[in-house]
């Protein structure tokens, strides 16, 4: 089953990102597999990243992203701000990172935009 637009798949493949398209009930999502995390910031070296796609994607932005395993900041040992709530997807308890996007540009933005937002959020986590 492939529902991700071709430009999104091509982008992820060009960046050598391993991903899986998944569905849980009516929700469609992608899971970016074993994404390296910023060095020395978290208590894990890599995580799977879940991005739930809204029904009108790519005209509507994905809202938040989710990590597995849950990560804490080092050396503080605490969850990053607004990243301490669970989301159940396909029977797994994901760490929700509440990061919202009000600047999505339909027809211009795609998974590359969301990927960059995830990278920025992980780099700036406090």
């Amino acid at each position: 089953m492939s529902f991700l637009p071709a430009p999104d798949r091509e982008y992820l493949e060009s960046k050598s990102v391993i991903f899986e398209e998944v569905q849980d009930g009516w929700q469609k999502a992608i899971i970016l597999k074993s994404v390296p995390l910023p060095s020395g910031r978290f208590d894990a070296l890599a995580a799977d990243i879940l991005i739930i796609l809204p029904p009108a994607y790519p005209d509507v932005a994905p809202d938040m992203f989710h990590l597995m395993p849950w990560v804490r900041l080092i050396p503080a040992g605490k969850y990053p701000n607004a990243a301490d709530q669970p989301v159940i997807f396909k029977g797994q308890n994901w760490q929700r990172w509440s990061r919202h996007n009000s600047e999505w540009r339909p027809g211009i933005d795609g998974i590359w935009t969301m990927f960059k937002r995830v990278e920025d959020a992980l780099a700036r986590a406090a």
Side-chain angles (χ1 to χ4, degrees), residues 36-97:
L37 299 175
S39 180
R41 294 200 40 93
F42 301 101
D43 60 357
L45 299 175
D48 288 349
I49 299 173
L50 169 70
I51 301 171
I52 298 172
L53 303 174
Y57 180 83
D59 292 327
V60 175
D63 189 31
M64 298 180 249
F65 65 93
H66 313 81
L67 266 59
M68 178 73 67
W70 286 50
V71 298
R72 293 178 186 264
L73 294 164
I74 55 174
K78 68 176 187 119
Y79 293 123
N81 294 334
D84 62 351
Q85 297 299 309
V87 165
I88 305 297
F89 189 87
K90 292 198 71 78
Q92 291 188 297
N93 190 13
W94 293 81
Q95 179 184 22
R96 182 184 77 187
W97 284 59

Side-chain angles (χ1 to χ4, degrees), residues 24-42:
D24 188 13
W26 61 271
Q27 291 184 307
K28 294 179 180 177
I30 62 167
I31 299 174
L32 310 175
K33 305 297 258 178
S34 298
V35 176
L37 299 175
S39 180
R41 294 200 40 93
F42 301 101

